[in-house]
Amino acid sequence: MLLSSEEAEQLMSEYDSASLYLGAFADSLHTRVARARLYQRRPAASDGALDTSREFEALRARWGGLPARTLGRRVEGEEWVLLFDERGRITLGEEAVREMLYARGVSGECRREVWKFLLDVYTWDGEEVERVQSLRVRRAQYESLRRQWVGILEMAGAAAEFEQVASPVKGLPLGSGFGGVGADANTAVGDEKIEGDVVSKIKERKARVEKDVVRTDRGVPFFQGSPDDNNILLISPTSPRFKTAHLSTNLEALKNVLMTYTLYNFDLGYVQGMNDLCSPILAVMDGDEVEAFWSFVGFMEKRKGNFSRDQSGMHGQLKSLEMLIRFVDPFLWLHLDRIDSTNLFCCFRWILIVFKREFKFEQILTLWEAMWACPFTKNFHIFVALAILNKHRSAIMKTCTAFDEALKFVNDLSETHDVEDIIQRAEVLFRVFQQQLTQAMREQEGIDMATGAAVVPSPIATEGKLHAGGEGRGLSPASSRAALTADTREGGKSLSRASSRSTVGDNGVRGVSPSPQGVGVFTLDQLIELAELLEKE
């Protein structure tokens, strides 16, 4: 029943990686169901439906304060130009510029230039002449890569025609005499052969890219072609009429950028979802393939783990989100656990394509640049996910009673979000988490996260009891695991010293409902893992 869910089937049809993720979850679910039957486990009404202390307004009032993100005037073209000196160098420094871009957002007239800094096409300390020269070199590199895959496909087409005429052996894989492998080769995401000759890989990737490109942002004017071609592209790709349609100029450019990337990062290749990440970039670069390509390369450096064959990147991010929910809102986590949704498959698409389908096209531009510019964490997207779930926590706990209902509920939220509201909520929830984690580390483990130095634990910690969402503000945490471990170990106090015994639990803090039994308990190792969400770029 789970795997035949209409919502799950649709997601798996759009993204091959979703099938692998859900398949792995199904295996673990069978074990879990058997264990539940063994212990006569029965579904129960969610305790969280009665709790309001984890609602956004309650958390903000107690912990979060006001966000730095404002709804004031965005950074516009003239103001952006004035940030540069006569040699074209930014005068404020990278950190100050990031803070400004995050706090105010970017107007459309300077977005193209700003994104090239945020996506590492340009360096933050370079001069204008250096940027011009760098772009000239990058343009030549792109054209060289593009000529290579175009040439490979042209030669493959000529060779295929020759085989049909000259070879009595049908079905011989093209290029099989140059290191090709048989049909029993291992497969990667999307069923691409891990082993295989270059020609066959390029041909297969072209077919995959073209299949996805024609379905990309059909409703966005930038990608629309003639009305006749648009209508034909809406029909099945297997239809004979489909081949008569012409891609619009910008869809053709999108195909070229994605194909060139498959050669640039040949080991990764093309995976479904990359088209969703590339199309907004191409639109912002106004169809310039070179600028779009190198900006996409910069974006993929941040998110290529989403498309790895072993799915470690997706598993890691969804696991971090699951732990974050359990730490900040254990009632919501318990409800998700009861409906077999703590694997967060309902959030899979969010993380895979960085909310591309969850916001309207113009709004995703605003969200992405806020994430890239974010001055306080490189994991802002995890807090965006938390913000969406937190905003709808009551509805989720009251109406979602099964895995597929949670998936449908989340999918139905697509393009209903107010991007500025979600960004502000995400920032506030980051501050909430930051303060709660700081207190937990200080009171449980006697560690000052700002310095890594040892402090005297509170009496609560010696009793092994501390609420993850208790009162108090503590100090600002360090930005990485290294900052937590180095100084404390210098003092002879290793962070791993008590990970098997230390827990964060409940202490009945006034105004905060105690966590469900066992849900709010965290070992020291888990706290350190949570602290990694505070890492900056």
Side-chain angles (χ1 to χ4, degrees):
M1 178 178 178
L2 170 67
L3 295 179
S4 63
S5 163
E6 181 180 347
E7 298 292 328
E9 291 284 357
Q10 180 180 351
L11 185 57
M12 291 187 292
S13 69
E14 292 178 344
Y15 305 104
D16 291 330
S17 54
S19 300
L20 299 179
Y21 185 83
L22 189 57
F25 168 65
D27 290 340
S28 66
L29 182 63
H30 291 319
T31 302
R32 179 173 174 165
V33 168
R35 187 183 304 118
R37 288 174 178 168
L38 178 64
Y39 291 101
Q40 298 296 304
R41 181 182 174 196
R42 294 288 184 269
S46 174
D47 299 328
L50 304 175
D51 172 73
T52 60
S53 66
R54 273 69 168 186
E55 294 288 347
F56 177 75
E57 292 302 333
L59 290 172
R60 178 170 67 174
R62 183 172 298 278
W63 297 93
L66 297 175
R69 180 78 175 191
T70 65
L71 295 176
R73 184 173 58 88
R74 296 187 182 278
V75 177
E76 302 197 8
E78 182 177 355
E79 184 177 3
W80 175 253
V81 171
L82 292 176
L83 294 178
F84 297 82
D85 64 16
E86 66 278 1
R87 302 180 65 175
R89 292 176 300 191
I90 294 179
T91 56
L92 291 182
E94 177 182 351
E95 185 174 353
V97 175
R98 284 184 179 275
E99 289 176 355
M100 179 181 68
L101 295 175
Y102 170 79
R104 293 171 50 191
V106 181
S107 69
E109 63 185 8
C110 64
R111 179 171 278 148
R112 181 173 177 175
E113 289 303 304
V114 170
W115 278 30
K116 283 182 280 190
F117 283 91
L118 293 175
L119 293 172
D120 300 323
V121 178
Y122 296 153
T123 61
W124 290 91
D125 57 354
E127 299 180 359
E128 174 67 19
V129 66
E130 294 172 331
R131 292 193 290 274
V132 171
Q133 176 61 23
S134 172
L135 201 56
R136 183 181 297 117
V137 172
R138 288 175 181 266
R139 192 170 296 277
Q141 291 174 327
Y142 175 80
E143 294 299 339
S144 175
L145 287 167
R146 181 181 170 183
R147 283 195 299 270
Q148 288 181 54
W149 66 260
V150 170
I152 289 171
L153 291 172
E154 288 177 347
M155 289 189 295
E161 292 180 6
F162 175 79
E163 281 187 352
Q164 290 178 358
V165 174
S167 176
V169 181
K170 303 298 181 183
L172 181 67
L174 181 63
S176 59
F178 299 92
V181 297
D184 60 345
N186 293 326
T187 57
V189 170
D191 291 333
E192 180 179 277
K193 301 291 188 299
I194 292 179
E195 303 295 340
D197 62 276
V198 172
V199 175
S200 61
K201 279 180 173 285
I202 294 295
K203 289 176 64 179
E204 182 180 1
R205 291 172 182 181
K206 179 174 181 288
R208 288 184 173 279
V209 167
E210 289 181 336
K211 178 183 176 182
D212 286 350
V213 160
V214 298
R215 301 183 296 182
T216 302
D217 294 318
R218 290 170 172 168
V220 177
F222 180 81
F223 290 105
Q224 291 177 348
S226 69
D228 289 341
D229 285 338
N230 288 337
N231 291 334
I232 294 174
L233 291 174
L234 289 173
I235 66 178
S236 170
T238 60
S239 170
R241 290 188 62 213
F242 188 83
K243 296 182 179 180
T244 66
H246 297 88
L247 293 177
S248 68
T249 300
N250 290 322
L251 282 181
E252 190 72 34
L254 179 62
K255 182 191 76 173
N256 291 339
V257 170
L258 291 170
M259 281 300 301
T260 304
Y261 185 78
T262 72
L263 203 65
Y264 174 83
N265 191 342
F266 196 78
D267 289 340
L268 182 59
Y270 175 77
V271 183
Q272 285 174 308
M274 291 182 180
N275 56 312
D276 284 300
L277 299 189
C278 189
S279 60
I281 294 175
L282 182 65
V284 167
M285 300 302 155
D286 199 25
D288 187 304
E289 290 185 23
V290 175
E291 293 184 8
F293 173 78
W294 290 109
S295 298
F296 180 62
V297 168
F299 195 8
M300 285 299 296
E301 281 301 305
K302 302 174 187 292
R303 293 288 168 255
K304 62 184 176 184
N306 291 13
F307 304 99
S308 61
R309 292 186 175 99
D310 62 4
Q311 294 200 313
S312 58
M314 288 299 298
H315 280 284
Q317 291 172 88
L318 289 170
K319 180 62 178 176
S320 293
L321 176 58
E322 184 254 330
M323 289 182 63
L324 181 62
I325 295 169
R326 186 159 70 93
F327 188 82
V328 175
D329 190 349
F331 292 100
L332 175 59
W333 183 92
L334 180 62
H335 181 76
L336 294 174
D337 184 57
R338 285 170 172 161
I339 62 174
D340 295 314
S341 294
T342 51
N343 70 318
L344 296 179
F345 185 70
C346 57
C347 304
F348 186 90
R349 186 176 70 186
W350 295 2
I351 302 301
L352 179 70
I353 57 173
V354 200
F355 303 96
K356 168 60 164 41
R357 304 276 184 97
E358 315 315 316
F359 292 83
K360 294 178 180 178
F361 193 83
E362 184 63 30
Q363 289 194 334
I364 200 62
L365 310 182
T366 299
L367 178 64
W368 282 3
E369 63 202 15
M371 290 165 48
W372 298 334
C374 181
F376 47 82
T377 177
K378 67 179 182 181
N379 297 297
F380 192 62
H381 64 295
I382 301 295
F383 292 90
V384 169
L386 177 65
I388 296 173
L389 293 172
N390 177 263
K391 183 175 182 178
H392 300 279
R393 70 186 294 271
S394 294
I396 291 171
M397 291 191 289
K398 291 177 182 178
T399 65
C400 299
T401 61
F403 170 90
D404 54 348
E405 290 179 354
L407 180 58
K408 184 179 188 307
F409 181 91
V410 168
N411 284 350
D412 287 346
L413 294 176
S414 178
E415 296 192 354
T416 66
H417 308 294
D418 179 328
V419 68
E420 289 296 342
D421 176 57
I422 294 299
I423 291 173
Q424 290 190 8
R425 285 172 177 266
E427 181 185 342
V428 169
L429 289 173
F430 172 84
R431 304 299 181 195
V432 168
F433 166 73
Q434 184 182 49
Q435 298 297 335
Q436 291 180 351
L437 185 62
T438 297
Q439 180 185 341
M441 292 297 292
R442 186 180 185 89
E443 296 195 7
Q444 175 188 320
E445 297 301 328
I447 298 171
D448 184 337
M449 291 183 65
T451 63
V455 296
V456 178
S458 73
I460 296 174
T462 63
E463 298 172 4
K465 292 282 190 175
L466 180 66
H467 194 282
E471 288 208 56
R473 289 192 171 271
L475 301 177
S476 300
S479 63
S480 68
R481 177 191 294 250
L484 287 173
T485 58
D487 291 341
T488 49
R489 282 178 179 164
E490 284 179 8
K493 187 175 181 180
S494 172
L495 280 175
S496 63
R497 71 198 187 289
S499 61
S500 62
R501 63 167 178 83
S502 297
T503 59
V504 177
D506 302 313
N507 67 348
V509 173
R510 184 178 56 193
V512 179
S513 302
S515 299
Q517 186 175 5
V519 175
V521 175
F522 289 82
T523 67
L524 176 58
D525 283 342
Q526 289 173 326
L527 292 179
I528 295 174
E529 189 173 345
L530 280 167
E532 292 177 356
L533 291 173
L534 303 177
E535 291 181 356
K536 298 181 181 180
E537 287 285 359

